[in-house]
């Protein structure tokens, strides 16, 4: 999941491209590179971060009005200078940057090798540069036509930008599967290209999200968008809602910490204006426009990956509880390749922060082909998942830059709560009064999270005690089983400590073998109908000398003598408790990772948006 940026216009391209790459670095940080076109084609590229690239460029002459850049998450070819983008064609005329995977690159490369092409990297992308040039020369096609003809031979996903020394006033960009946004500059002939809007918002709010199979061709200060079959497309120009301030750290040391502290607001923004608690009424277009369908759905399938899958698991409890619907929660990556049995009265809800996760997109596509109704719950306006959905709801959590998802998770759970309540109302499985009670409690959540965030200093002290642990176990029951999974994932992905989440009762069936005096066990033991059972699970852990960190409801002192540490969180109803109980687990993983010197915002081997499968 690489980040790509491109610019053509009157401004200096290099500073725009470098700044853009920094904004996109959360998408991949294995290597970085730029190409600048100013009569000649100057390429600078290196292993490592954008900062390494700036160092490499140093005081070189970077004057150019056309340029592009790439920050890489390695798929084909290890992270090194040779495999860094941009890549050149055989003659060096064409330069290309690419986000995605060309699955049939080996076959294409074989043909090119037989025709004498020489390659200098192991990447699939370099093959595309060579192929386009080969087609252009052998089929005597224009650059744009050669790009279209070449892309027709490609199997896989791509977002690409191409520059050509022999076509100095041209920029060609295309996408299929991977996201690509075009920004329309204020001056004639000024265009910005990027994987998402964050590198563009500083310069213009007018953008076009390229659709699958579209090609944008800038030539002689005009841009034309065509389909891969050469049909001119009418661009849908949108106004960005994003603002620059949202993309800054705002005084926090890391984006992740800022995003953890933004949750009172992001949860409020995720439900604001969508219901009226006193009357138990909803103002959600997806519920209104699809009321008849939603009333009669027979089954709900929640699909997602990673943290979004965990939000789906909380959703399972919500929809079964409130709407009395049979629910299945599916890993999108497995669902897409299984031959699932779907019916037209099934509702599939795809959950995604980025809106670009390839496996989730493919699972949605499969569901639509099998005639299910597909809703999307997504955080990025204009991204692919909302555009593929029949309907849905945005989470309005604002840009999430930290690779480890935090505020998007609680915003997703908030929106799933609203959808579950809304469908419960349509199906008559809850009284208006019961719905209104949950809504009133939901309106208390932002203030309760403000309170939970005040545990930060306490959790810093706790983190000091456990930062050198090699393993962690997280246990929860009911609504808080997914919270245990999410807590473990957060710790794994940013501190690199091996951590597992389990249903508390499942422990006896195996994981209890891991328990000894070295094993920290985080147990979510807030007030619920399962409380006594959770206490028994804690006693089982303590009987094996496990070190227990218990998350309990405010004022509950009953476990103080049994466990090693108690974290008291504000109380709420069980159905909404995941929104509060997640907070101390996010803070614990954050502080442990910082104390271990990990790069919290850009953990190794990860990327924010997984646009390849
Ligand atoms: C979570 O912290 C990770 N970044 C990852 O598991 C993420 O949740 C997953 O890749 C799904 O991403 P999405 O929500 O953007 O689809």
């Amino acid at each position: 999941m690489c980040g790509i940026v491109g610019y053509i216009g009157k401004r200096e391209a290099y500073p725009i491209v470098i700044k853009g790459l920094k904004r996109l670095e959360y998408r991949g940080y294995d290597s970085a590179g730029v190409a600048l076109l100013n009569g000649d084609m100057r390429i600078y590229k290196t292993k490592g971060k954008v900062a390494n690239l700036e160092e490499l460029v140093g005081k070189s002459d970077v004057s150019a009005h056309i340029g592009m850049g790439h920050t890489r998450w390695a798929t084909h070819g290890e992270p090194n200078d040779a495999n860094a983008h941009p890549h050149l064609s055989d003659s060096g005329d064409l330069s290309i940057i690419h986000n995605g995977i060309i699955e049939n690159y080996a076959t294409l490369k074989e043909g090119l090798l037989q025709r004498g092409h020489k390659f200098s990297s192991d990447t699939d992308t370099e093959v595309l540069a060579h192929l386009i040039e080969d087609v252009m020369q052998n089929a005597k096609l224009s650059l744009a036509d050669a790009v279209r003809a070449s892309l027709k031979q490609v199997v896989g996903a791509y977002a690409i930008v191409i520059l050509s020394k022999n076509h100095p006033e041209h920029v060609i960009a295309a996408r299929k599967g991977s996201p690509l946004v075009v920004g329309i500059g204020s001056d004639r002939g000024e265009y910005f290209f990027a994987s998402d809007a964050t590198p563009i918002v500083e310069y213009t709010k007018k953008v076009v999200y390229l659709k699958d199979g579209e090609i944008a061709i800038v030539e002689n200060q005009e841009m034309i968008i065509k389909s891969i079959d050469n049909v001119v497309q009418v661009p849908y120009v949108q106004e960005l809602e994003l603002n620059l301030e949202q993309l800054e750290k705002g005084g926090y040391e890391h984006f992740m910490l800022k995003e953890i502290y933004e949750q009172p607001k992001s949860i409020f923004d995720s439900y604001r204006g969508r219901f009226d608690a006193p009357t138990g009424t909803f103002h959600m277009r997806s519920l209104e426009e699809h009321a008849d369908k939603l009333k009669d759905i027979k089954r709900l399938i929640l699909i997602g990956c990673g943290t979004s899958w965990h939000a789906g698991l909380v959703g399972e409890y919500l929809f079964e509880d409130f709407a009395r619907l049979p629910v299945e929660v599916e890993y999108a990556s497995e669902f897409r390749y299984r031959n699932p049995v779907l019916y037209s009265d099934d509702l599939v809800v795809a959950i995604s922060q980025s809106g670009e996760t390839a496996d989730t997109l493919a699972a949605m596509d499969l569901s639509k082909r099998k005639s299910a109704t597909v809703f999307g719950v997504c955080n990025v306006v204009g991204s692919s998942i909302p555009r593929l959905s029949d309907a849905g709801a945005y989470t309005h959590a604002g840009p999430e830059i930290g690779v480890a998802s935090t505020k998007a998770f609680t915003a997703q759970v908030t929106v799933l709560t609203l959808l579950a309540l809304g469908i419960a109302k349509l199906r008559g499985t809850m009284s208006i009064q019961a719905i209104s009670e949950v809504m009133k409690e939901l309106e208390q959540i932002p203030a309760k999270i403000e309170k939970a965030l005040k545990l930060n200093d306490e959790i810093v002290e706790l983190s000091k005690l456990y930062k050198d642990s090699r393993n962690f176990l997280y246990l929860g029951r009911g609504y808080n089983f997914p919270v245990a999974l999410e807590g473990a994932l957060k710790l794994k992905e940013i501190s690199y400590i091996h951590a597992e989440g389990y249903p508390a009762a499942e422990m006896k069936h195996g994981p209890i073998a891991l328990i000894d005096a070295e094993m920290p066990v985080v147990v979510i033991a807030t007030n619920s109908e399962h409380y006594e059972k959770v206490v028994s699970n804690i006693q089982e852990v303590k009987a094996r000398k496990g070190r227990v960190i218990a998350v309990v409801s405010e004022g509950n002192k009953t476990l103080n003598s049994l466990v090693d540490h108690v974290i008291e969180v504000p109380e709420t109803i069980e159905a909404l408790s995941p929104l509060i109980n997640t907070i101390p687990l996010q803070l614990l993983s954050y502080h442990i990772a910082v104390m271990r010197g990990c790069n919290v915002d850009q953990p190794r081997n990860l990327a924010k948006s997984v646009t390849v499968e």
Side-chain angles (χ1 to χ4, degrees):
M1 301 48 65
C2 311
I4 63 177
V5 181
Y7 175 76
I8 180 167
K10 296 194 179 57
R11 305 179 213 219
E12 277 302 315
Y14 179 73
I16 293 171
V17 169
I18 285 292
K19 203 177 207 179
L21 288 181
K22 286 183 180 160
R23 291 233 184 273
L24 291 178
E25 205 162 27
Y26 66 81
R27 302 177 65 89
Y29 23 88
D30 290 329
S31 65
V34 294
L36 299 168
L37 184 54
N38 185 4
D40 63 350
M41 181 83 79
R42 270 159 294 150
I43 304 278
Y44 301 93
K45 58 182 187 175
T46 178
K47 183 176 180 320
K49 304 227 163 157
V50 178
N52 302 59
L53 174 63
E54 285 183 292
E55 220 175 286
L56 174 77
V57 173
K59 299 244 171 307
S60 318
D61 167 15
V62 289
S63 58
H65 296 296
I66 303 176
M68 63 182 186
H70 182 273
T71 179
R72 183 174 189 233
W73 190 87
T75 56
H76 292 66
E78 65 174 87
N80 60 26
D81 296 356
N83 291 333
H85 296 210
H87 289 286
L88 293 173
S89 60
D90 211 35
S91 71
D93 164 46
L94 297 182
S95 172
I96 190 168
I97 53 174
H98 167 222
N99 170 28
I101 288 185
I102 297 171
E103 290 161 22
N104 63 336
Y105 84 102
T107 321
L108 296 171
K109 189 172 186 174
E110 199 42 50
L112 291 160
L113 283 166
Q114 281 158 14
R115 294 199 290 284
H117 285 250
K118 302 228 171 345
F119 292 88
S120 54
S121 81
D122 316 317
T123 65
D124 51 341
T125 308
E126 187 186 10
V127 174
L128 186 52
H130 283 244
L131 178 67
I132 294 166
E133 184 168 76
D134 189 72
V135 170
M136 196 160 57
Q137 287 165 349
N138 297 332
K140 306 264 174 294
L141 293 176
S142 72
L143 175 59
D145 290 347
V147 171
R148 280 189 310 100
S150 306
L151 292 178
K152 283 190 172 180
Q153 299 179 42
V154 163
V155 177
Y158 57 80
I160 55 174
V161 179
I162 298 160
L163 300 182
S164 159
K165 215 167 31 186
N166 301 338
H167 304 76
E169 290 304 321
H170 278 61
V171 175
I172 297 192
R175 76 151 290 185
K176 185 170 102 27
S178 301
L180 194 61
V181 190
V182 181
I184 301 166
S186 44
D187 295 338
R188 179 162 174 264
E190 182 176 54
Y191 297 96
F192 303 81
F193 304 85
S195 297
D196 66 35
T198 55
I200 294 174
V201 66
E202 179 166 351
Y203 309 100
T204 177
K205 295 263 185 182
K206 282 173 47 181
V207 296
V208 175
Y209 288 88
L210 281 193
K211 298 192 189 70
D212 265 358
E214 287 188 340
I215 300 182
I217 303 152
V218 178
E219 188 178 347
N220 305 328
Q221 299 197 312
E222 293 302 332
M223 179 176 74
I224 187 167
I225 296 180
K226 286 185 173 181
S227 72
I228 198 153
D229 302 313
N230 210 17
V231 179
V232 175
Q233 308 293 305
V234 180
Y236 170 44
V237 181
Q238 297 185 45
E239 190 75 16
L240 283 176
E241 288 167 13
L242 200 55
N243 66 54
L244 214 45
E245 193 222 325
Q246 291 174 306
L247 303 176
E248 307 299 343
K249 281 191 189 142
Y252 287 88
E253 196 189 344
H254 296 102
F255 280 108
M256 183 181 178
L257 190 62
K258 174 195 176 205
E259 288 151 10
I260 290 173
Y261 274 83
E262 282 178 335
Q263 289 176 102
K265 182 174 180 309
S266 53
I267 288 173
F268 173 71
D269 290 344
S270 296
Y271 68 62
R272 179 177 43 176
R274 287 178 158 170
F275 65 78
D276 175 60
T279 58
T281 48
F282 291 89
H283 313 300
M284 291 178 79
R285 228 180 52 216
S286 51
L287 291 176
E288 287 146 16
E289 289 176 1
H290 295 265
D292 296 343
K293 184 88 188 171
L294 294 173
K295 215 181 282 154
D296 302 330
I297 50 173
K298 294 286 179 296
R299 178 177 57 160
L300 175 71
I301 299 165
L302 299 162
I303 54 175
C305 304
T307 288
S308 294
W309 183 75
H310 292 154
L313 280 179
V314 178
E316 181 172 33
Y317 290 86
L318 290 162
F319 284 95
E320 280 178 353
D321 240 354
F322 294 164
R324 303 306 298 136
L325 263 175
V327 182
E328 292 165 22
V329 184
E330 301 281 356
Y331 277 118
S333 53
E334 284 300 314
F335 186 79
R336 65 176 294 184
Y337 286 120
R338 258 194 8 238
N339 183 12
V341 180
L342 289 173
Y343 304 104
S344 59
D345 51 14
D346 284 334
L347 174 66
V348 171
V349 176
I351 307 164
S352 175
Q353 187 289 127
S354 63
E356 300 293 354
T357 302
D359 285 322
T360 307
L361 277 165
M364 291 172 77
D365 198 43
L366 173 72
S367 305
K368 294 191 84 158
R369 279 186 276 115
K370 288 180 178 264
S371 69
T373 302
V374 177
F375 271 28
V377 172
C378 184
N379 196 45
V380 178
V381 176
S383 60
S384 303
I385 285 177
R387 283 189 282 134
L388 185 57
S389 308
D390 299 311
Y394 283 115
T395 46
H396 299 304
E400 189 175 67
I401 310 285
V403 167
S405 185
T406 52
K407 63 176 181 175
F409 173 67
T410 50
Q412 287 163 348
V413 170
T414 302
V415 168
L416 291 171
T417 305
L418 296 184
L419 288 175
L421 288 171
I423 294 177
K425 185 172 182 184
L426 290 169
R427 292 164 60 87
T429 55
M430 280 176 86
S431 67
I432 301 299
Q433 205 228 333
I435 291 171
S436 169
E437 290 310 313
V438 177
M439 288 173 168
K440 287 178 187 150
E441 184 55 28
L442 184 56
E443 289 178 328
Q444 305 309 311
I445 294 291
K448 290 184 176 180
I449 289 185
E450 288 283 6
K451 210 162 175 213
L453 290 167
K454 295 201 170 39
L455 292 162
N456 186 56
D457 298 350
E458 203 181 307
I459 293 171
V460 168
E461 294 315 309
L462 207 51
S463 304
K464 289 178 185 161
L465 301 173
Y466 290 97
K467 64 179 175 54
D468 301 319
S469 307
R470 295 171 56 77
N471 300 287
F472 256 78
L473 266 182
Y474 288 72
L475 304 177
R477 274 184 181 253
Y479 278 90
N480 287 293
F481 158 49
V483 175
L485 291 175
E486 179 56 14
L489 177 62
K490 287 289 94 75
L491 189 70
K492 266 185 279 208
E493 65 179 322
I494 61 172
S495 76
Y496 319 142
I497 294 175
H498 175 238
E500 293 299 332
Y502 274 93
E506 193 55 25
M507 254 243 309
K508 296 189 282 300
H509 307 288
I512 197 165
L514 298 169
I515 306 285
D516 60 19
E518 299 309 311
M519 177 64 86
V521 183
V522 177
V523 184
I524 299 144
T526 45
N527 296 350
S528 76
E529 60 179 293
H530 314 291
Y531 179 72
E532 292 311 326
K533 305 233 182 312
V534 174
V535 174
S536 323
N537 298 133
I538 291 175
Q539 281 156 339
E540 289 153 10
V541 172
K542 289 311 295 174
R544 277 86 187 168
K545 307 211 173 343
R547 301 168 70 196
V548 174
I549 301 165
V551 178
V552 303
S553 297
E554 211 162 30
N556 175 1
K557 307 296 181 195
T558 58
L559 297 181
N560 289 24
S561 57
L562 174 62
V563 301
D564 303 79
H565 312 277
V566 169
I567 300 172
E568 291 188 31
V569 294
E571 184 162 8
T572 182
I573 59 173
E574 193 185 349
L576 300 180
S577 62
L579 294 170
I580 295 178
N581 297 347
T582 303
I583 306 299
L585 306 191
Q586 293 169 344
L587 288 169
L588 184 68
S589 62
Y590 171 78
H591 289 298
I592 286 177
V594 169
M595 291 172 190
R596 290 165 69 94
C598 301
N599 183 328
V600 169
D601 281 342
Q602 296 174 351
R604 70 185 184 199
N605 304 343
L606 287 179
K608 183 66 183 169
S609 172
V610 184
T611 55
V612 293
E613 60 173 299

